Amino acid sequence: GTADIHLLDNVKLNVGDGSDLSIYHDASNSQIHNTTGTLRIRGDSVKINNAGASKNAIVCESDTVTLYYNNSAKLATTNDGTVTTGITTSSLGLSIPDGAAAAGNASIDIGSSGDFQIYHNSNNHTYITNNNSSGQLYIGSNITKIMNEAQNETCASFTENGNVELYFDNSKRIETTNEGVQITGFTSTTA
């Protein structure tokens, strides 16, 4: 008919031979319970909004799913993956497996043209690359160390306003000083 159906609190609209789907309000919250199979919501455009329908939370249109925060799009699916707007925070790190990219190497690209890249290729080599031919790669720290993989041996150490040290098998061999260079061991030259 044309009249509304009003179910009081905790009165359920049960659907299915075994009441597999229940829709009701429990005086505090509205509930949709599905106990068999998959709960499917279908439509050419599906939106989950706030109570006043003034803010989007999730929008599914065509081939795109978009997640919102305070009605501002934050994560959207695309043909190539996802687009994130804003800062991404991870409590367990970021993992990009070998072969993740369709062509070339899976990488972290920074800059409008991928000017800075960090990647690992299928030959087990890892690269930090500055692809901007007019720019330089800066590594800034009061003390910078290059270590072995286990991080228990120093290969080189660079100290701000201080010395530069080069090591062989974790033994310091060359050190710059205020007066020049100090070499530990003997030196040799080849023609």
Side-chain angles (χ1 to χ4, degrees):
T2 58
D4 293 339
I5 297 173
H6 182 192
L7 301 179
L8 300 177
D9 288 344
N10 293 305
V11 176
K12 298 178 180 180
L13 171 62
N14 292 322
V15 180
D17 290 348
S19 297
D20 304 311
L21 174 66
S22 296
I23 302 173
Y24 64 98
H25 186 77
D26 65 8
S28 298
N29 301 295
S30 297
Q31 308 279 351
I32 299 174
H33 287 199
N34 180 58
T35 59
T36 305
T38 302
L39 175 64
R40 296 183 181 186
I41 301 172
R42 297 181 184 178
D44 291 336
S45 177
V46 177
K47 296 183 179 183
I48 298 177
N49 305 110
N50 64 337
S54 61
K55 294 183 179 181
N56 290 322
I58 301 173
V59 175
C60 304
E61 292 181 309
S62 300
D63 297 326
T64 301
V65 177
T66 306
L67 303 180
Y68 291 77
Y69 173 80
N70 196 22
N71 211 35
S72 177
K74 296 300 177 182
L75 180 70
T77 60
T78 69
N79 184 53
D80 299 320
T82 60
V83 174
T84 302
T85 303
I87 298 171
T88 301
T89 303
S90 172
S91 61
L92 295 176
L94 172 66
S95 177
I96 302 175
D98 291 342
N105 302 305
S107 63
I108 297 173
D109 296 352
I110 300 173
S112 59
S113 300
D115 296 333
F116 178 71
Q117 287 185 322
I118 301 172
Y119 63 93
H120 182 80
N121 70 11
S122 57
N123 295 324
N124 293 322
H125 301 302
T126 303
Y127 296 86
I128 299 174
T129 306
N130 176 29
N131 292 318
N132 187 331
S133 60
S134 62
Q136 299 181 14
L137 175 63
Y138 291 90
I139 300 173
S141 176
N142 292 337
I143 299 174
T144 302
K145 291 195 174 193
I146 300 174
M147 309 287 290
N148 66 335
E149 181 183 3
Q151 298 183 18
N152 58 8
E153 292 186 9
T154 301
C155 300
S157 178
F158 309 87
T159 304
E160 180 182 12
N161 299 323
N163 57 346
V164 172
E165 302 171 348
L166 301 178
Y167 291 75
F168 175 81
D169 196 20
N170 209 35
S171 295
K172 184 170 31 175
R173 296 299 184 208
I174 299 174
E175 178 181 2
T176 61
T177 66
N178 190 40
E179 291 79 26
V181 177
Q182 179 178 340
I183 298 175
T184 302
F186 67 93
T187 60
S188 63
T189 59
T190 58

